[in-house]
Amino acid sequence: MQTYKMTYTADKSCSSEVSSEAWRLELRVSVGITTKDRWGELAQTVSQLVELGLGDLRIIVVDDGSVQANAEQVCKPLRNCTVIREPVSLGLVEERNRIARLTETDYLVSLDDDSCFETPHNLEKAVQYMDANPDVAVLAFWITRTHAKPGRKMTEDGFQPSLPMRVPEYNGCGHMLRVATFRELSGYRGYFHQMCEERDYSLRVYGSGRRVILFPDVQVAHRLTPTARSSTRVSFYGARNTLLCWLLNLPLPACLWRCARSVSGQIFAVLRWRQRCWPTIRGLAASLPAFLQHRHDRRPLPSSVAREYFSL
């Protein structure tokens, strides 16, 4: 592993003046980004952060085993950026845990390399909300999506509420974590590898008496680039980790019911669409061995909390 600490006197041609708001924010918030062989997307996100006046925030970028080591050059416009290069890929989940361990601020914003804030970013409002609500472990930002293909327009994920509200889980491409709580709950479980780690963490958040809140004042645009997105891996880990999540976190009656629903739903989808059949079937089959291997991590929610969770 190679770590590069980069502190630059930013060139005026590639960055804007940092507002007084950003100077306050840099004491409270860090930004974490993981990337792998998507330098064009990362460069676009870096450019947007600078344009938003966030170039002075502590930003940690982890290169998870890219073929070419370009992260240092791409991140040069950021004034306070730490780049970590991992020669062998450890996976998104492990790298996000690493970023949380390195974070020195109260809050950590997690972005994908192909996502960034809309204007205005409103991060100061998010910090104020977290300060005023110490039982909130995660703020889920409002995500808008666009496929990185010509002619595809930005679409919103459903009806956007005007006020913060409780939600069962959050999206990995744009959210804010309370770092102390994340560490207390031991972060993400590395064996999820990909898919459902946010759901697993959200269940543990609610089990600890805390909340996940959708905060619509902060909006994140997710460009959904197809580069390095494997539909086979998504199908396998989506099926495996959904069941594993229920097995580890739900009381027995709810666990049996949710697992039965998940299995029947996945099989129905495979039979109907006849796409990615084997990855899905292998994922379902892999869930039980994974649970047996990690059964010592089973911490079922109280039944009342599980009912409340599924009512959200």
Side-chain angles (χ1 to χ4, degrees):
M1 179 187 72
Q2 296 172 302
T3 303
Y4 304 86
K5 173 69 174 179
M6 304 190 302
T7 303
Y8 294 98
T9 301
D11 188 285
K12 292 183 179 179
S13 65
C14 62
S15 70
S16 60
E17 289 296 319
V18 179
S19 66
S20 58
E21 178 181 327
W23 284 108
R24 292 194 299 271
L25 283 175
E26 71 177 2
L27 302 176
R28 308 299 311 283
V29 180
S30 299
V31 177
I33 302 173
T34 61
T35 189
K36 183 179 180 181
D37 292 319
R38 299 203 298 202
W39 305 121
E41 294 297 335
L42 180 62
Q44 185 173 343
T45 295
V46 167
S47 177
Q48 290 173 335
L49 288 171
V50 173
E51 290 172 2
L52 288 166
L54 299 175
D56 271 349
L57 292 186
R58 170 77 188 282
I59 299 177
I60 304 172
V61 176
V62 177
D63 174 4
D64 186 37
S66 295
V67 175
Q68 294 181 334
N70 292 336
E72 300 81 46
Q73 183 64 32
V74 172
C75 294
K76 193 172 182 179
L78 302 172
R79 299 187 186 185
N80 190 18
C81 181
T82 298
V83 175
I84 299 172
R85 171 167 169 74
E86 193 65 52
V88 178
S89 176
L90 299 178
L92 174 69
V93 176
E94 291 290 2
E95 300 299 8
R96 284 183 172 166
N97 282 338
R98 182 204 298 271
I99 290 172
R101 290 194 297 270
L102 294 173
T103 299
E104 298 175 353
T105 52
D106 296 327
Y107 306 117
L108 171 64
V109 168
S110 183
L111 297 174
D112 282 359
D113 56 7
D114 60 351
S115 65
C116 197
F117 305 104
E118 299 276 24
T119 304
H121 58 75
N122 287 333
L123 282 180
E124 189 174 49
K125 290 183 179 180
V127 170
Q128 292 170 349
Y129 187 88
M130 292 285 268
D131 285 346
N133 297 274
D135 64 327
V136 174
V138 186
L139 282 188
F141 298 150
W142 183 256
I143 309 297
T144 58
R145 302 177 187 274
T146 180
H147 292 269
K149 297 178 181 179
R152 297 297 294 272
K153 295 183 178 180
M154 189 79 74
T155 58
E156 292 187 351
D157 288 348
F159 176 76
Q160 182 176 1
S162 58
L163 297 174
M165 59 182 291
R166 283 194 308 164
V167 289
E169 56 190 271
Y170 58 98
N171 196 302
C173 69
H175 62 271
M176 178 183 286
L177 296 170
R178 189 182 299 276
V179 175
T181 301
F182 190 79
R183 291 171 178 168
E184 177 188 332
L185 298 180
S186 301
Y188 296 125
R189 288 165 167 162
Y191 47 80
F192 275 80
H193 301 299
Q194 179 183 358
M195 305 292 294
C196 298
E197 70 274 9
E198 298 94 354
R199 178 184 297 166
D200 174 74
Y201 181 68
S202 297
L203 284 162
R204 289 184 283 132
V205 162
Y206 279 105
S208 71
R210 300 177 175 94
R211 298 181 293 159
V212 178
I213 296 293
L214 173 63
F215 194 74
D217 282 351
V218 178
Q219 300 184 35
V220 170
H222 189 198
R223 301 186 296 274
L224 273 179
T225 176
T227 305
R229 293 187 188 277
S230 168
S231 59
T232 298
R233 284 176 58 85
V234 168
S235 298
F236 174 83
Y237 281 114
R240 170 190 181 269
N241 291 351
T242 296
L243 294 184
L244 183 58
C245 187
W246 302 146
L247 290 166
L248 290 173
N249 295 292
L250 295 184
L252 187 58
C255 178
L256 295 176
W257 169 241
R258 288 288 163 178
C259 286
R261 283 190 57 178
S262 295
V263 171
S264 60
Q266 295 274 7
I267 292 176
F268 176 79
V270 164
L271 293 177
R272 181 178 182 182
W273 301 111
R274 300 187 183 278
Q275 294 181 344
R276 299 185 290 276
C277 299
W278 285 115
T280 300
I281 292 171
R282 288 191 297 106
L284 293 173
S287 60
L288 183 57
F291 169 67
L292 293 175
Q293 181 180 357
H294 302 289
R295 62 187 181 277
H296 57 278
D297 287 338
R298 176 169 163 78
R299 301 289 186 275
L301 299 179
S303 296
S304 59
V305 175
R307 286 193 297 271
E308 183 178 7
Y309 174 86
F310 287 111
S311 71
L312 296 175

